[in-house]
Amino acid sequence: MRKARRRRRLSMTSLIDVIFLLLLFFMLSSTFTRFAEVDLDAAGSGAQVAADTRPLFLQLSPDRLSLNGADTALEDLPATLAERIAGAEAETATPLIIALRGEVTAQRLTDVLVALRGITGLRATVLGAG
């Protein structure tokens, strides 16, 4: 008569080692990208806005960008704004109102804010979509 073979228990140690090695492999082979940072200043202290300064109005939609009613390309926006605020006084900031129209993505708004970042003498306010 044959002896009944005993089943050996499966060792968890080797399974844990394999999982640890896979985890280590994926952690080391992953690339972690750093996204661009955009400083968003809360309302409060900042450059003064003179009472007689007329604000600029920027309408931002998913496929269109217009400054005071004139269509503008995103690449041309910094130069156009720099021309408009060139005559403003140094100690006062020119207000820029950014109105979101339609389904504007966060990436589109970030692209505009990054383009505005290098312009001095400008105080931007973003209005919600409506």
Side-chain angles (χ1 to χ4, degrees):
M1 190 179 238
R2 280 182 129 182
K3 273 187 167 178
R5 284 179 36 167
R6 287 183 75 194
R7 261 185 132 173
R8 289 188 348 188
R9 290 188 58 187
L10 184 62
S11 173
M12 294 299 282
T13 307
S14 60
L15 182 62
I16 291 172
D17 287 344
V18 168
I19 291 173
F20 177 72
L21 288 174
L22 284 173
L23 179 67
L24 188 64
F25 170 76
F26 286 117
M27 284 177 56
L28 293 176
S29 64
S30 298
T31 56
F32 296 101
T33 58
R34 184 174 186 164
F35 294 101
E37 297 175 0
V38 177
D39 294 332
L40 298 176
D41 295 330
S45 64
Q48 290 182 338
V49 176
D52 60 343
T53 303
R54 294 189 60 167
L56 299 171
F57 187 69
L58 182 69
Q59 275 190 327
L60 178 63
S61 64
D63 56 348
R64 216 173 136 221
L65 184 68
S66 66
L67 180 64
N68 287 347
D71 285 345
T72 307
L74 182 60
E75 300 81 29
D76 301 333
L77 185 63
T80 305
L81 283 171
E83 288 175 10
R84 298 265 178 126
I85 64 174
E89 299 174 23
E91 64 270 359
T92 61
T94 303
L96 174 68
I97 300 170
I98 303 171
L100 306 179
R101 298 286 178 233
E103 298 293 322
V104 177
T105 62
Q107 183 60 51
R108 176 111 166 113
L109 177 61
T110 303
D111 291 342
V112 170
L113 292 176
V114 167
L116 298 176
R117 182 172 40 189
I119 303 171
T120 57
L122 190 68
R123 183 174 182 189
T125 303
V126 179
L127 302 178

